[in-house]
Amino acid sequence: MHLLLGFASKFMKTNLKTRAVHAGESPDPTTGASSPNLVMSSTFLADPEASFSAEGSHDDDSFFYTRWGNPTVAQLEQKLAALEETEAAMAFASGMAAVTGLFFHCLRPGDHLILADVVYAAVSEMAGDWLKGIGVEISRVDTSDLESIRGAIRENTKLIYIETPCNPILRLTDIAAVASLAKSAGARLAVDSTFATPIATQPAKLGADFVVHSLTKYIGGHGDAIGGSIAGPADDIAEIRKKVGIRMGSIISPFNAWLILRGMATLPIRMQAHESAAKEVANFLENHSAISRVIYPGLESHPQHELAKSQMANFSGILTFQTPHHAVLPKIFSEKLQIVHYAVSLGHHRSLIFYIPTDEILSTSFSLTESQEENYRNFAGDAVFRLSVGIEDAADICEDLDRALSGVT
Ligand SMILES: *Cc1c(COP(=O)(O)O)cnc(C)c1O
């Protein structure tokens, strides 16, 4: 539906920073407007030959109805594909809509899914409930351990789904190694790369079939629009658009697409700022008397720092910390912090912090084996505070945290 298709490829030879600004976009042919138009129209003047059914639709048809495709959304999708270096991408109403759509596309009753034991909580809950309910076989596997993945592969394994760094413990998975396991098993590999962003890691270049994002986080970057995406091969994306976009209807609003498109232009420079502030805050916390442990892929103390260095061109802006005073701190943080907001979500220009007690998340969201629980605790202790370091001045963030922490030291 994409009269605009082709703009992404025009910029494919340029570097990431240039693609973040220009890919997918083009001056409006009628008005000459330099910035992308926000096209809110739900319907478009139709070709008299056009079919009412999605069955006869093709990706290069003209725009027809916004659930099929929309000029503003198409620009966002092309920019996403250009940054992930995949053939195509599709945007969704939320990150969860993208994940659900991917499962719907890849899995049928009787198929087998290898799902990382620690993934975004709602993904874990949805798999255990809905996917299990329709007869998909699921193995929960610590995907940082390649032997566990190898041991879980079955004849009917259709999809391996990982998150790296994973939410909330920031454990990493070696994408290239898992991609080769998936290939030899004839399964597809999907990577939720929300924490890494294409600035740190481009999973498709490492052999992944699908790259999933919550656009709500770094890619939009400003905490004002919810969205999600799948990037991958054009044939799959066309199928997903038909089944999940046109028929399931989990499409993104053009207004949200426009906000996220606007945010994406600064993704490369925001990620530099996030990483640089996060390094400073991580060092500050690692040396703070109230803090017992900090986990950040950019710290030498991260158990997989070597993998982080080889797989991530940017360590991103999320860290976790542990403290013996954890139980009293949510209240203190919510009352005393002035710069850092005590709130969920991450990847915004604003710093955000949230408390994740281990017993609670293990019982509500994950049903893990004893050794998997032990591995979770190796990264999370009794509880973590997940801190998404924003792009404020790092010294101000540290001072804000120090002031709040003085309540317990
Ligand atoms: C937030 C998040 C999601 C879900 O995205 P929404 O846009 O909130 O639906 C999925 N995966 C990860 C890693 C996330 O952080």
Side-chain angles (χ1 to χ4, degrees), residues 94-96 120 163 167 192 194-195 214 216-217 226-227 346:
S94 67
M96 281 310 299
Y120 185 68
E163 212 176 277
N167 190 356
D192 181 334
T194 298
F195 277 35
S214 167
T216 317
K217 314 294 170 51
I226 289 192
L346 51 99

Short mmCIF file of all heavy atoms in Angstrom, two decimals, residues 94-96 120 163 167 192 194-195 214 216-217 226-227 346, ligand 1:
data_model
loop_
_atom_site.label_atom_id
_atom_site.label_comp_id
_atom_site.label_asym_id
_atom_site.label_seq_id
_atom_site.Cartn_x
_atom_site.Cartn_y
_atom_site.Cartn_z
N SER A 94 0.90 -1.42 20.26
CA SER A 94 1.76 -1.46 21.45
C SER A 94 2.80 -2.55 21.23
O SER A 94 2.68 -3.35 20.30
CB SER A 94 0.93 -1.79 22.70
OG SER A 94 0.43 -3.11 22.61
N GLY A 95 3.79 -2.58 22.12
CA GLY A 95 4.76 -3.67 22.07
C GLY A 95 4.08 -5.01 22.25
O GLY A 95 4.40 -5.98 21.56
N MET A 96 3.12 -5.08 23.16
CA MET A 96 2.41 -6.34 23.40
C MET A 96 1.62 -6.78 22.17
O MET A 96 1.52 -7.97 21.88
CB MET A 96 1.49 -6.23 24.62
CG MET A 96 2.22 -6.36 25.95
SD MET A 96 3.32 -7.81 26.08
CE MET A 96 2.17 -9.17 25.87
N TYR A 120 9.76 -10.01 29.25
CA TYR A 120 8.80 -9.02 29.71
C TYR A 120 7.60 -9.74 30.35
O TYR A 120 7.05 -10.69 29.77
CB TYR A 120 8.36 -8.17 28.51
CG TYR A 120 7.45 -7.04 28.90
CD1 TYR A 120 7.92 -5.98 29.65
CD2 TYR A 120 6.11 -7.05 28.51
CE1 TYR A 120 7.07 -4.95 30.03
CE2 TYR A 120 5.27 -6.01 28.87
CZ TYR A 120 5.75 -4.97 29.63
OH TYR A 120 4.92 -3.95 30.00
N GLU A 163 14.97 -12.22 24.70
CA GLU A 163 15.01 -10.79 24.98
C GLU A 163 16.42 -10.50 25.45
O GLU A 163 16.91 -11.17 26.37
CB GLU A 163 14.02 -10.52 26.12
CG GLU A 163 13.33 -9.20 26.12
CD GLU A 163 12.31 -9.13 27.27
OE1 GLU A 163 11.19 -9.61 27.11
OE2 GLU A 163 12.68 -8.59 28.33
N ASN A 167 14.37 -7.90 30.48
CA ASN A 167 13.64 -7.10 31.46
C ASN A 167 13.13 -8.04 32.55
O ASN A 167 12.41 -8.97 32.22
CB ASN A 167 12.46 -6.42 30.72
CG ASN A 167 11.77 -5.36 31.55
OD1 ASN A 167 12.09 -5.14 32.71
ND2 ASN A 167 10.79 -4.71 30.94
N ASP A 192 13.42 -9.72 21.14
CA ASP A 192 12.88 -8.45 21.64
C ASP A 192 14.09 -7.59 21.97
O ASP A 192 14.84 -7.87 22.91
CB ASP A 192 12.01 -8.69 22.88
CG ASP A 192 11.40 -7.40 23.44
OD1 ASP A 192 11.99 -6.32 23.22
OD2 ASP A 192 10.34 -7.48 24.10
N THR A 194 14.09 -4.28 22.61
CA THR A 194 13.64 -3.00 23.17
C THR A 194 14.72 -2.32 24.00
O THR A 194 14.90 -1.11 23.91
CB THR A 194 12.38 -3.25 24.04
OG1 THR A 194 11.34 -3.77 23.21
CG2 THR A 194 11.91 -1.98 24.71
N PHE A 195 15.44 -3.10 24.83
CA PHE A 195 16.44 -2.49 25.71
C PHE A 195 17.69 -2.08 24.95
O PHE A 195 18.42 -1.19 25.37
CB PHE A 195 16.85 -3.47 26.84
CG PHE A 195 15.92 -3.50 28.02
CD1 PHE A 195 14.55 -3.34 27.86
CD2 PHE A 195 16.41 -3.69 29.31
CE1 PHE A 195 13.68 -3.37 28.95
CE2 PHE A 195 15.55 -3.71 30.41
CZ PHE A 195 14.19 -3.56 30.23
N SER A 214 9.18 -2.58 21.68
CA SER A 214 8.17 -1.68 22.24
C SER A 214 8.64 -0.28 21.85
O SER A 214 9.63 0.21 22.38
CB SER A 214 8.11 -1.82 23.76
OG SER A 214 7.36 -0.73 24.28
N THR A 216 7.29 2.30 22.52
CA THR A 216 6.98 3.13 23.68
C THR A 216 8.24 3.56 24.42
O THR A 216 8.25 4.57 25.12
CB THR A 216 6.13 2.28 24.65
OG1 THR A 216 5.14 1.56 23.91
CG2 THR A 216 5.47 3.12 25.71
N LYS A 217 9.29 2.77 24.28
CA LYS A 217 10.49 2.96 25.09
C LYS A 217 11.48 3.85 24.33
O LYS A 217 11.15 4.96 24.00
CB LYS A 217 11.07 1.59 25.47
CG LYS A 217 10.00 0.59 25.97
CD LYS A 217 9.36 0.98 27.29
CE LYS A 217 8.16 0.15 27.68
NZ LYS A 217 8.30 -1.30 27.65
N ILE A 226 2.42 5.18 22.89
CA ILE A 226 2.59 3.73 22.98
C ILE A 226 2.55 3.14 21.58
O ILE A 226 1.74 3.54 20.74
CB ILE A 226 1.51 3.12 23.91
CG1 ILE A 226 1.83 3.53 25.36
CG2 ILE A 226 1.43 1.61 23.77
CD1 ILE A 226 1.04 2.79 26.42
N GLY A 227 3.48 2.23 21.31
CA GLY A 227 3.51 1.57 20.00
C GLY A 227 4.44 0.37 20.06
O GLY A 227 5.18 0.18 21.02
N LEU A 346 10.36 2.82 30.58
CA LEU A 346 11.81 3.03 30.48
C LEU A 346 12.12 3.60 29.10
O LEU A 346 11.25 3.63 28.23
CB LEU A 346 12.53 1.68 30.68
CG LEU A 346 12.01 0.52 29.83
CD1 LEU A 346 12.86 0.29 28.60
CD2 LEU A 346 11.93 -0.74 30.65
C1 LIG B 1 7.52 -2.44 27.63
C2 LIG B 1 8.03 -3.67 27.03
C3 LIG B 1 7.20 -4.46 26.22
C4 LIG B 1 5.74 -4.15 26.01
O1 LIG B 1 5.59 -2.97 25.29
P1 LIG B 1 4.28 -2.03 25.39
O2 LIG B 1 4.56 -0.98 24.38
O3 LIG B 1 4.22 -1.51 26.80
O4 LIG B 1 3.10 -2.89 25.06
C5 LIG B 1 7.76 -5.59 25.63
N1 LIG B 1 9.05 -5.92 25.82
C6 LIG B 1 9.87 -5.18 26.60
C7 LIG B 1 11.28 -5.60 26.78
C8 LIG B 1 9.39 -4.04 27.23
O5 LIG B 1 10.20 -3.32 28.01
#
